[in-house]
């Protein structure tokens, strides 16, 4: 009888520590996330989107698997690329969690994604920079809308597009026009 109980305990522990199954589930998860990031990167014609984008769990970091080897996010070039790929990664993860009804927060707070385009007040960037920032916002809006009310992005930024109706429709508070401060003086 003792041998049967020990055998049952061993089988139970083996199920709990099924490292082969865990590795398979992790690879499936990473493949799903990577496929979504890759598709979005290609839709947006981003640099480094020609390979398969996925996570290297040793980092963890985003990598581009190409026929010539792996390229890590740190080698993706400019901060502009990094902003895009961080946004893609976050939204891919949140989409996966939402699709599987996982108990994760259903919002993402983002602070100044336009900063790499306009690093200082003396450098307001060119028309291309404004268009690229607006492209990021359009992608965030479109992607969030596809999540059908299951997800919210809270974004603070200095970028303003007062002549763009789509942008203005998504602004909850324009602290430049209201009272000149993100935190109203009456709160202090």
């Amino acid at each position: 009888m003792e041998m049967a109980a020990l055998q049952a305990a061993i089988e139970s522990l083996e199920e709990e520590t099924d490292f082969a199954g865990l590795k398979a589930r992790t690879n499936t998860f990473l493949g799903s996330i990577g496929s979504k990031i890759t598709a979005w990167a290609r839709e947006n014609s981003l640099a480094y989107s020609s390979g398969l984008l996925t996570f290297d769990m040793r980092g963890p970091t985003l990598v581009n698997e190409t026929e010539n080897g792996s390229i890590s996010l740190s080698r993706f070039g400019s901060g502009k690329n990094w902003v895009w790929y961080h946004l893609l990664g976050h939204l891919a993860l949140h989409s996966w969690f939402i699709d599987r009804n996982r108990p994760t927060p259903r919002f993402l707070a983002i602070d100044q994604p336009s900063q790499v385009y306009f690093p200082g007040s003396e450098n307001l960037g060119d028309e291309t920079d404004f268009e690229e920032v607006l492209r990021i916002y359009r992608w965030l809006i479109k992607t969030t809308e596809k999540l059908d009310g299951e997800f919210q992005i809270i974004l603070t930024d200095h970028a303003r597009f007062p002549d763009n109706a789509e942008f203005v429709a998504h602004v909850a508070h324009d602290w430049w026009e209201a009272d000149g401060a993100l935190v109203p003086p009456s709160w202090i």
Side-chain angles (χ1 to χ4, degrees), residues 125-154:
D126 59 22
E127 190 65 29
T128 306
D129 289 337
F130 281 100
E131 291 168 6
E132 187 63 15
V133 171
L134 195 53
R135 190 166 78 103
I136 288 171
Y137 282 119
R138 284 187 180 124
W139 182 79
L140 289 170
I141 291 166
K142 178 182 81 169
T143 304
T144 303
E145 286 175 348
K146 284 182 180 178
L147 294 172
D148 201 26
E150 294 287 324
F151 190 69
Q152 179 181 18
I153 293 177
I154 301 165

Side-chain angles (χ1 to χ4, degrees), residues 1 3 9-11 16 18 21 25-26 50 52-53 60 64 75 86 99 102 116 119 121 124 146-147 181:
M1 185 67 166
M3 183 61 114
I10 288 171
E11 289 174 9
E16 290 178 25
D18 177 14
R25 289 189 307 277
T26 300
S50 60
L52 174 65
L53 293 147
N64 184 356
R75 294 180 36 218
H86 277 89
D99 289 347
R102 304 310 305 156
V116 297
S121 58
L124 294 178
K146 284 182 180 178
L147 294 172

Side-chain angles (χ1 to χ4, degrees), residues 48-85:
Y48 300 94
S49 63
S50 60
L52 174 65
L53 293 147
T54 189
F55 283 101
D56 180 342
M57 292 306 290
R58 293 171 294 182
T61 188
L62 185 66
V63 294
N64 184 356
E65 299 292 348
T66 71
E67 59 187 37
N68 298 323
S70 298
I71 303 169
S72 68
L73 177 64
S74 64
R75 294 180 36 218
F76 277 23
S78 72
K80 296 173 184 182
N81 292 334
W82 295 349
V83 167
W84 264 109
Y85 281 106

